[in-house]
Amino acid sequence: MPQWNDLQHFLAIARGGSLSAAARQLKVDQTTVGRRLAVLERELGARLFDRTPSGFRPTAVALRILPAAEAVEAEALRVERLASGEDLRPSGPVTVTATDTFLVHNVLPWLAGFRERHPEIELHLLSGYETLSLVRREADVAIRLVRPQEPSLRARKVAAIGVVPFASQAYLDRRGAVRFDAGLQGHTVIGYAQDSRRWPESKWLDVHAARATVAVRLTSILGLLQAAREGLGVALLPAFFGHLHPELVPLRDALPELERTVWLVFHEDLANNARVRAVVDFLAETIGAQAASLAKAPARPRSGSGGAARRVRKPQRNK
């Protein structure tokens, strides 16, 4: 009978398309993945993958057993979640996933206070735009900008992020007033590259800045921020950047059509886990305290004035 450990390696190869990708997912070496696959193929008496130049391609046998292997995985993960879900002590590791931008600017500055309250909890912060699976325990808690649809996930709305067109005061001094009704003619914008061109912000610029030239294209929010601070052009950025960087001037109020909702998400099986609950409560408190600055940029300065932007204040810790 196939062992769960071997099926786990089989699923990782099927999803990653190579031994190296599976090894990274499982945090083992590539040789181990190849050895476990060989054991499983020997036990089943069938080849599960064709080795091709483009990677490992599932055979007909692999495609037939894939749903059954995924069902075994779901039950094994449920056992793990139920076992850890009743952990009543706020100690041990908790993995949180979010974008780089949100972790750097909206979570990390407040972690010292959390550590004082919960010194036995070890936070693992995974940043990036890839959506990690909470069902497969790739993370325990997620900060997401889209409400999840899986029925087993609990989602808690904590704030809304406004998106605002910004330019640096130096850029405006050099290039003059910005007119969106003229399609930003005579101005430059900071655009989006590769997959980020599918973002709503990129499509908004295509419509409302149709007469502008593109100074540079990037794929990260932090890159867009730095390009705007350097005076390269007009950029669409989260509203809270205006509070953190006084050199950025908001050119319009937050755009309702680009507003994003911030959701805290975790699996229902972990609802009674003390350390997960402590992290969720901390994130809800911390993000909620920033709600006003997340939703709106500082008041737009009068013409010819750079305006002094206030920095975001950290929430007061409970004494």
Side-chain angles (χ1 to χ4, degrees):
M1 180 179 294
Q3 300 297 310
W4 160 233
N5 188 42
D6 297 333
L7 290 175
Q8 190 177 28
H9 285 75
F10 161 71
L11 288 171
I13 298 170
R15 289 164 180 158
S18 68
L19 296 182
S20 58
R24 287 193 298 271
Q25 178 186 328
L26 297 173
K27 297 180 175 58
V28 298
D29 60 74
Q30 188 171 321
T31 303
T32 299
V33 178
R35 185 172 65 252
R36 300 317 307 173
L37 174 60
V39 169
L40 182 60
E41 289 182 325
R42 187 167 59 250
E43 289 180 345
L44 296 177
R47 190 177 74 258
L48 297 177
F49 295 96
D50 290 325
R51 282 69 167 171
T52 72
S54 59
F56 278 49
R57 187 173 61 191
T59 63
V61 173
L63 293 175
R64 283 199 299 271
I65 70 171
L66 185 60
E70 289 177 332
V72 173
E73 176 190 47
E75 289 305 310
L77 292 173
R78 179 166 171 75
V79 169
E80 290 182 14
R81 288 194 303 267
L82 290 173
S84 62
E86 298 300 324
D87 193 338
L88 302 180
R89 183 180 178 186
S91 64
V94 177
T95 301
V96 179
T97 177
T99 64
D100 283 343
T101 303
F102 208 89
L103 287 178
V104 169
H105 291 94
N106 306 104
V107 176
L108 284 175
W110 286 267
L111 277 190
F114 176 78
R115 290 288 303 153
E116 290 179 8
R117 289 153 61 178
H118 300 287
E120 295 185 16
I121 295 179
E122 179 183 302
L123 279 178
H124 298 187
L125 303 181
L126 306 184
S127 61
Y129 294 104
E130 180 184 0
T131 301
L132 299 182
S133 173
L134 301 183
V135 176
R136 294 202 298 266
R137 294 299 302 275
E138 294 174 349
D140 299 307
V141 181
I143 302 172
R144 292 183 178 168
L145 303 183
V146 177
R147 185 170 191 171
Q149 299 302 312
E150 297 94 329
S152 61
L153 299 183
R154 294 190 182 184
R156 183 172 172 181
K157 180 180 177 180
V158 290
I161 297 179
V163 176
V164 174
F166 286 100
S168 72
Q169 186 61 49
Y171 172 86
L172 296 174
D173 292 341
R174 188 171 70 249
R175 302 297 293 269
V178 173
R179 289 186 56 190
F180 286 94
D181 58 357
L184 265 68
Q185 186 172 8
H187 285 273
T188 58
V189 296
I190 300 165
Y192 301 81
Q194 298 180 352
D195 290 346
S196 61
R197 296 199 70 172
R198 297 197 298 263
W199 294 356
E201 291 85 348
S202 181
K203 296 176 181 178
W204 192 93
L205 282 180
D206 290 342
V207 173
H208 297 276
R211 296 184 179 180
T213 58
V214 179
V216 62
R217 294 187 182 276
L218 301 108
T219 58
S220 81
I221 300 297
L222 295 177
L224 293 168
L225 167 64
Q226 190 59 32
R229 295 181 65 197
E230 296 294 340
L232 290 177
V234 176
L236 290 175
L237 297 169
F240 65 84
F241 280 152
H243 297 269
L244 296 171
H245 302 285
E247 69 274 21
L248 292 179
V249 178
L251 306 176
R252 291 179 58 167
D253 294 332
L255 304 167
E257 62 269 38
L258 296 181
E259 183 180 88
R260 306 289 181 86
T261 302
V262 182
W263 300 91
L264 285 180
V265 187
F266 58 97
H267 200 282
E268 63 183 4
D269 289 344
L270 297 178
N272 294 324
N273 184 291
R275 63 180 181 272
V276 171
R277 190 169 62 248
V279 171
V280 170
D281 289 345
F282 156 72
L283 291 172
E285 173 191 339
T286 298
I287 299 170
Q290 302 171 66
S293 61
L294 286 168
K296 295 182 179 180
R300 283 184 284 167
R302 295 178 181 177
S303 179
S305 170
R310 294 178 298 173
R311 290 187 172 272
V312 181
R313 293 183 179 179
K314 296 183 182 180
Q316 295 295 318
R317 297 195 307 271
N318 294 330
K319 300 295 184 181

